[in-house]
């Protein structure tokens, strides 16, 4: 398996050189292959979300490099990072983070529209993804008309609609009941398999962690375990 | 396109916020439009009143008369001047005046005053002397020793319509001139100094006494379009010999023009201070509204919207709201200006203060000039866009994760 994503000696210090300096990540090194289904777990405050944010270019690292498919993301300016996120990375957030004034359909096609895809292409892709995720009947609803589970499905649909290389999901099941969480994980596994998308998610949930084919455990900002599940 | 849709949806979804913004900017626009209209209207009215009472829109004088107003600098051929002005396009009325100063005596009183020979018929259009009649009658072209006098001067001399009084003065040839005249009419323009020091005689009779036939100190011209007075003055200057000068009220009443300009400057400084305050109110309000959406902006950035696109979206929202607001404010301000253009505001208690500036007015209409209204709307549009720029640029500088976690 080729090294699709390389995390090299990443560190992150919040409030550097101040009284309340916090080292959130120290010397993180990871190599993840294309199409992997990876979970990052660890106790609260271990640095899971910070690591995902740095991998996705949402936050700047204090040191080290993130290389995605040969491109060093940590060297890019904000505009280029935005374009990389738009074209190659999908995000699923714990709090769903849908755009409140857009319908489910518009949320899903938003990134594709930013990419300049035609309305015809967008429509076809939205229908395809909505059917896969069982949200076809919800497409014309606004986020505030959807339940938490439905919103998270729409968020997953938004993340995968533009066919990114990588999906980063930060505790995607944290706000869902166990049944909905299991359904969502099953869907993400299916998308990982069918669309060949690399998925990295963070979680505390043992059921979710058990689904992953690689498990990375963080503690106090350091990798304490990185192994492929048999 | 999607970014524009979000901008529009945000405006509709956040009705309260949009309504407050529109109300704030539209009221400010209405205030600016109305203030400008009132300031311009009051200045126009003051100028119109000052010009029309007596001096006139355009005066022709001998070249040096204004620097040295003596009998050495008189217009020497009013007939020729009459013929020249008569054939000039854009002239509504014209007539000669000969101004001099005499000493009046009535019973035990003697008072110095201005005596002017006027052509009664054209003067009806050139000034407000005729319409200011309060007692007796106005002059006719056949009058001989009939005097038209200001009411305040009549009070000082203790004379009334039908009384006679005598005067002595200098003729145009520096000879001694004296006569006995009858007061046929009293006028009141509202300008105390003018009403207390001006008298008028029919010019043909005046010329006999003053040896001033075909002579004048001023030749006054009324343009058909008062706004075109400068063009008319320029046209006359080209036709007149170098011995004469044609000047519009802007030159002949330079002091008034300067006073209006100073008043405008103070008016605009006051408006400027108000707008600086409003600018910061709008900016702070925009800052609050933009920061209340910082998480949404963080999400947009996280999923691939570039800072430029976020800027375009927020500016788009700001532009839509500003445009709506200035149109609404322009309509409100324009409607107010139009109403007070038709129904001038009355200020009877300021009459005495206006008189100190040589103005006989108690009402102040607004000006109603669509181009000025559009100018004010454009100023407010730019001001509201500028006031929103800082908050928008500031919020756009956040890292996506900072923005999403911002409380």
């Amino acid at each position: 398996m080729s090294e699709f994503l390389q995390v090299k000696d990443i560190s992150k210090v919040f409030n550097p050189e101040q009284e309340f300096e916090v080292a959130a990540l120290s010397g993180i090194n990871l190599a993840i292959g294309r199409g992997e289904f990876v979970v990052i777990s660890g106790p609260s405050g271990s640095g899971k979300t910070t690591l995902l944010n740095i991998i996705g270019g949402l936050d700047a690292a204090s040191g080290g490099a993130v290389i995605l498919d040969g491109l060093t993301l940590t060297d890019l300016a904000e505009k280029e990072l935005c374009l990389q996120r738009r074209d190659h990375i999908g995000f699923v957030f714990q709090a769903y983070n849908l755009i409140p004034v857009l319908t489910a359909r518009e949320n899903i096609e938003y990134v594709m529209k930013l990419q300049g895809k035609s309305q015809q292409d967008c429509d076809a892709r939205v229908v395809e993804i909505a059917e896969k995720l069982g949200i076809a009947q919800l497409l014309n609803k606004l986020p505030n008309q959807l339940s938490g589970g439905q919103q998270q499905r729409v968020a997953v649909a938004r993340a995968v609609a533009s066919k990114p290389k990588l999906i980063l999901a930060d505790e995607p099941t944290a706000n869902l009941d166990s049944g909905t969480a299991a359904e969502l994980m099953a869907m993400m596994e299916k998308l990982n398999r069918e669309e060949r998308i690399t998925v990295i998610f963070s979680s505390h949930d043992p059921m979710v962690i058990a689904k992953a084919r690689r498990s990375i455990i963080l503690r106090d900002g350091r990798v304490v375990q990185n192994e492929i599940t048999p | 396109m999607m970014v524009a849709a979000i901008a529009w949806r945000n405006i509709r979804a956040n009705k309260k916020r949009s309504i407050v913004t529109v109300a704030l900017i539209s009221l400010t626009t209405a205030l600016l439009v109305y203030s400008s209209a009132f300031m311009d209207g009051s200045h126009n009215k003051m100028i119109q009143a000052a010009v029309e009472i007596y001096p006139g829109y355009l005066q022709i004088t001998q070249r040096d008369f204004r620097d040295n107003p003596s009998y050495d600098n008189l217009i020497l051929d009013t007939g020729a001047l009459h013929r020249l002005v008569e054939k000039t396009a854009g002239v509504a009325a014209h007539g000669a005046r000969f101004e001099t100063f005499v000493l009046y005596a009535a019973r035990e009183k003697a008072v110095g005053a201005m005596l002017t020979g006027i052509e009664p018929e054209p003067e009806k259009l050139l000034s407000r002397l005729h319409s200011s009649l309060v007692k007796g009658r106005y002059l006719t072209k056949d009058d001989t020793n009939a005097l038209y006098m200001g009411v305040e001067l009549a009070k000082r001399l203790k004379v009334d319509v039908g009384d006679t009084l005598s005067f002595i003065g200098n003729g145009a040839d520096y000879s001694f001139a004296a006569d006995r005249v009858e007061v046929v009419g009293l006028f009141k323009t509202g300008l105390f100094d003018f009403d207390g020091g001006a008298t008028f005689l029919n010019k043909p009779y005046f010329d006999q006494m003053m040896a001033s036939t075909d002579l004048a100190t001023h030749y006054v011209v009324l343009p058909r379009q008062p706004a075109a007075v400068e063009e008319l003055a320029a046209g006359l200057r080209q036709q007149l010999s170098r011995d004469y000068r044609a000047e519009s009220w802007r030159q002949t009443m330079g002091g008034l023009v300067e006073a209006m300009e100073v008043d405008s400057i103070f008016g605009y400084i006051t408006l400027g201070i108000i707008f600086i305050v409003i600018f910061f109110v709008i900016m702070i309000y925009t800052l609050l509204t933009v920061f209340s959406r910082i998480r949404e902006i963080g999400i947009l950035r996280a999923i691939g919207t570039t800072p430029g696109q976020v800027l375009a979206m927020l500016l788009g929202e700001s532009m839509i709201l500003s445009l709506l607001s200035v149109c609404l404010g322009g309509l409100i301000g324009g409607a107010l200006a139009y109403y007070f253009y038709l129904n001038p505001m009355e200020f009877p208690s300021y009459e005495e203060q206006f008189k100190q500036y040589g103005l006989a007015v108690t009402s102040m209409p607004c000006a109603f000039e669509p181009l000025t209204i559009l100018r004010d709307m454009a100023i407010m549009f730019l001001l509201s866009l500028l006031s929103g720029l800082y908050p928008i640029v500031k919020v756009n500088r956040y890292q996506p994760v900072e923005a999403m976690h911002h409380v």
Side-chain angles (χ1 to χ4, degrees):
Chain A
M1 197 174 279
S2 62
E3 286 179 349
F4 167 66
L5 174 69
Q6 295 176 70
V7 175
K8 290 185 172 176
D9 201 22
I10 282 290
S11 63
K12 176 70 182 178
V13 179
F14 290 109
N15 308 317
E17 295 171 18
Q18 288 179 27
E19 194 181 346
F20 302 107
E21 181 178 295
V22 177
L25 296 172
S26 312
I28 302 285
N29 287 287
L30 296 170
I32 294 168
R34 190 184 298 274
E36 282 202 54
F37 197 68
V38 182
V39 65
I40 299 172
S41 60
S44 290
S46 59
K48 302 185 294 292
T49 300
T50 305
L51 181 58
L52 283 183
N53 286 339
I54 289 171
I55 290 172
L58 297 181
D59 202 358
S62 303
V66 174
I67 303 165
L68 178 70
D69 212 10
L71 183 70
T72 307
L73 297 183
T74 37
D75 287 348
L76 297 180
E78 179 53 31
K79 189 183 173 189
E80 281 78 41
L81 263 179
C82 273
L83 297 177
Q84 287 300 317
R85 286 198 295 269
R86 185 191 74 183
D87 294 337
H88 304 303
I89 305 171
F91 289 93
V92 181
F93 302 99
Q94 182 181 340
Y96 326 130
N97 285 351
L98 298 176
I99 301 163
V101 293
L102 298 183
T103 62
R105 175 189 291 280
E106 289 165 336
N107 265 286
I108 296 168
E109 67 186 16
Y110 179 79
V111 179
M112 288 188 284
K113 285 277 180 72
L114 286 182
Q115 289 172 331
K117 297 218 167 104
S118 70
Q119 188 60 52
Q120 204 177 3
D121 288 348
C122 291
D123 288 343
R125 181 67 175 154
V126 168
V127 169
E128 181 192 348
I129 292 293
E131 280 175 1
K132 271 187 190 173
L133 297 178
I135 52 171
Q137 74 288 0
L138 306 175
L139 290 178
N140 294 322
K141 292 188 186 265
L142 288 168
N144 63 8
Q145 296 168 319
L146 302 174
S147 68
Q150 289 170 333
Q151 285 191 59
Q152 196 59 298
R153 286 178 195 215
V154 174
V156 172
R158 179 179 67 184
V160 299
S162 60
K163 298 188 176 170
K165 296 172 183 172
L166 172 68
I167 287 182
L168 299 171
D170 186 16
E171 308 224 20
T173 60
N175 291 338
L176 305 178
D177 62 70
S178 57
T180 312
E183 267 181 46
L184 188 80
M185 286 314 297
M187 279 188 295
M188 288 183 72
E189 261 190 298
K190 190 177 165 195
L191 289 168
N192 167 251
R193 228 177 14 251
E194 291 177 359
E195 310 255 345
R196 287 280 296 153
I197 300 170
T198 307
V199 178
I200 304 174
F201 54 92
S202 66
S203 186
H204 286 107
D205 186 343
M207 181 276 289
V208 173
I209 294 167
K211 296 265 183 192
R213 291 192 290 280
R214 182 198 285 265
S215 173
I216 296 165
I217 299 176
L218 294 183
R219 184 164 295 134
D220 298 329
R222 292 176 187 278
V223 176
V224 293
Q225 182 188 306
N226 179 3
E227 61 185 30
I228 295 173
T229 312
Chain B
M1 198 62 200
M2 202 65 178
V3 169
I6 295 176
W8 178 239
R9 299 269 182 89
N10 266 317
I11 290 169
R12 288 172 54 198
N14 300 288
K15 285 194 179 70
K16 263 189 197 165
R17 197 169 66 196
S18 303
I19 288 169
V20 171
T21 307
V22 168
L24 197 63
I25 300 171
S26 57
L27 280 176
T28 313
T29 308
L31 176 71
L32 176 63
V33 168
Y34 175 74
S35 305
S36 293
F38 180 72
M39 206 155 63
D40 291 348
S42 56
H43 287 173
N44 291 345
K45 172 77 176 180
M46 287 176 186
I47 286 164
Q48 190 187 20
V51 167
E52 289 181 358
I53 281 177
Y54 180 67
Y57 283 93
L58 198 159
Q59 289 182 1
I60 298 169
T61 53
Q62 204 274 348
R63 192 183 58 214
D64 300 321
F65 183 80
R66 279 171 58 74
D67 299 327
N68 179 20
S70 73
Y71 288 168
D72 296 334
N73 296 312
L74 295 174
I75 295 169
L76 299 177
D77 189 356
T78 53
L81 200 52
H82 177 93
R83 287 188 293 278
L84 186 146
V85 175
E86 187 70 30
K87 67 177 186 188
T88 304
V91 175
H94 54 100
R97 289 177 185 163
F98 195 113
E99 288 179 2
T100 186
F101 286 86
V102 297
L103 183 67
Y104 282 104
R107 299 186 187 99
E108 74 277 18
K109 286 273 183 181
V111 175
M114 182 177 81
L115 174 63
T116 307
I118 57 170
E119 299 177 58
E121 286 309 309
E123 198 65 47
K124 284 180 182 175
L125 299 171
L126 293 172
S127 68
R128 292 191 188 167
L129 289 176
H130 175 253
S131 58
S132 302
L133 174 74
V134 289
K135 193 172 184 184
R137 66 169 177 83
Y138 180 63
L139 300 175
T140 69
K141 63 183 172 56
D142 299 321
D143 276 334
T144 50
N145 62 343
L147 188 72
Y148 193 52
M149 175 182 269
V151 285
E152 300 300 335
L153 181 61
K155 280 181 198 167
R156 288 164 70 194
L157 286 165
K158 294 186 177 170
V159 294
D160 205 341
V161 172
D163 291 341
T164 56
L165 69 166
S166 50
F167 70 83
I168 54 169
N170 271 341
D173 56 356
Y174 294 102
S175 62
F176 177 77
D179 199 3
R180 191 167 178 80
V181 287
E182 179 189 343
V183 178
V184 295
L186 299 178
F187 64 83
K188 184 179 182 183
T189 61
L191 295 180
F192 184 84
D193 287 347
F194 189 72
D195 295 342
T199 56
F200 298 90
L201 281 173
N202 175 27
K203 192 163 186 299
Y205 178 71
F206 175 96
D207 290 341
Q208 287 175 26
M209 280 187 306
M210 295 291 184
S212 59
T213 302
D214 224 16
L215 303 178
T217 53
H218 305 79
Y219 200 91
V220 183
V221 180
L222 174 69
R224 270 188 215 288
Q225 301 287 334
V229 65
E230 297 298 342
E231 289 86 339
L232 182 61
L236 283 169
R237 275 196 287 273
Q238 285 182 339
Q239 297 178 66
L240 289 167
S241 78
R242 294 183 63 186
D243 291 336
Y244 297 121
R245 56 204 261 186
E247 294 171 309
S248 74
W249 60 270
R250 286 186 182 280
Q251 286 94 47
T252 58
M253 303 183 75
L256 179 70
V257 172
E258 277 175 24
M260 295 297 129
E261 282 169 356
V262 169
D263 190 61
S264 291
I265 289 168
F266 279 113
Y268 283 116
I269 288 172
T270 310
L271 280 179
I273 292 167
I274 292 170
F275 287 115
I276 287 170
V277 173
I278 289 166
F279 178 88
F280 282 106
V281 169
I282 296 173
M283 193 175 80
I284 290 166
Y285 186 71
T286 312
L287 200 66
L288 290 173
T289 55
V290 168
F291 268 79
S292 71
R293 292 169 56 194
I294 194 165
R295 186 166 169 270
E296 176 195 329
I297 291 162
I299 296 164
L300 289 171
R301 293 273 302 281
I303 62 175
T305 317
T306 61
Q309 286 169 321
V310 172
L311 186 73
M313 181 189 83
L314 295 174
L315 277 180
E317 281 184 45
S318 185
M319 278 176 81
I320 292 168
L321 287 175
S322 299
L323 201 61
L324 270 174
S325 309
V326 296
C327 287
L328 185 64
L331 278 175
I332 296 169
L336 280 172
Y338 188 66
Y339 177 81
F340 287 109
Y341 165 72
L342 296 177
N343 305 285
M345 268 189 276
E346 294 290 333
F347 297 97
S349 55
Y350 286 95
E351 191 177 359
E352 291 306 316
Q353 280 166 281
F354 289 143
K355 279 180 189 170
Q356 289 172 12
Y357 293 96
L359 303 169
V361 289
T362 55
S363 67
M364 291 291 176
C366 282
F368 183 71
E369 289 162 8
L371 276 179
T372 309
I373 294 173
L374 285 175
R375 179 204 66 188
D376 293 341
M377 288 165 68
I379 288 171
M380 269 315 297
F381 181 70
L382 287 176
L383 201 67
S384 54
L385 274 190
L386 279 177
S387 63
L389 209 55
Y390 168 73
I392 289 170
V393 169
K394 185 170 172 62
V395 85
N396 213 15
R397 283 191 179 154
Y398 277 84
Q399 287 275 339
V401 73
E402 277 180 297
M404 282 194 292
H405 295 155
H406 196 274
V407 179

